[in-house]
Amino acid sequence: MTPPPKVAVHLDEREKAALVLRNTKNLVEDLAGVEVEVVAHADGVEPLRTGGPQAALMAQLAGRGVRFVVCENTLRSRNLSEKDFPGYVETVPSAIVELVVRQAEGWHYLRP
């Protein structure tokens, strides 16, 4: 039996946040057992902030097991902290390193 797929979704553009979240929703709804991690850096962190335009969908996806991570390098460069994001959003030291490591672990890479 094939293990469920794992997908790292790259978000680095504010304008693509709605698309990324819709794609993530489709993955979760249509691909049984999929594990998804949305990895954000640069302008991609902005729409994930608390109270952002996609807050309801993000919360729904997090409730379904989607992991959201933001880049600590980006946060430092923008004077942001974990407190600027919903409690389910985690940080990683470097988003680019996170994406490379996930791919080395066999995760699929998606950049809408």
Side-chain angles (χ1 to χ4, degrees), residues 68-82:
F68 290 90
V69 299
V70 294
C71 177
E72 291 174 8
N73 290 329
T74 296
L75 298 185
R76 270 193 303 281
S77 73
R78 294 168 183 251
N79 294 315
L80 297 171
S81 75
E82 283 185 77

Side-chain angles (χ1 to χ4, degrees), residues 31-99:
L31 192 56
V34 68
E35 186 174 342
V36 181
E37 179 176 277
V38 176
V39 182
H41 68 103
D43 286 341
V45 304
E46 295 298 335
L48 303 186
R49 292 175 68 173
T50 300
Q54 304 296 325
L57 181 53
M58 284 176 54
Q60 176 189 9
L61 292 170
R64 296 191 66 184
V66 172
R67 183 172 181 231
F68 290 90
V69 299
V70 294
C71 177
E72 291 174 8
N73 290 329
T74 296
L75 298 185
R76 270 193 303 281
S77 73
R78 294 168 183 251
N79 294 315
L80 297 171
S81 75
E82 283 185 77
K83 295 175 186 168
D84 294 303
F85 298 85
Y88 52 79
V89 175
E90 303 171 43
T91 64
V92 292
S94 168
I96 297 304
V97 170
E98 180 76 2
L99 290 166

Side-chain angles (χ1 to χ4, degrees), residues 8-12 20 37-41 95-96 99 109-112:
V9 184
H10 188 176
L11 175 60
D12 64 345
V20 163
E37 179 176 277
V38 176
V39 182
H41 68 103
I96 297 304
L99 290 166
Y109 172 77
L110 177 63
R111 183 167 189 238

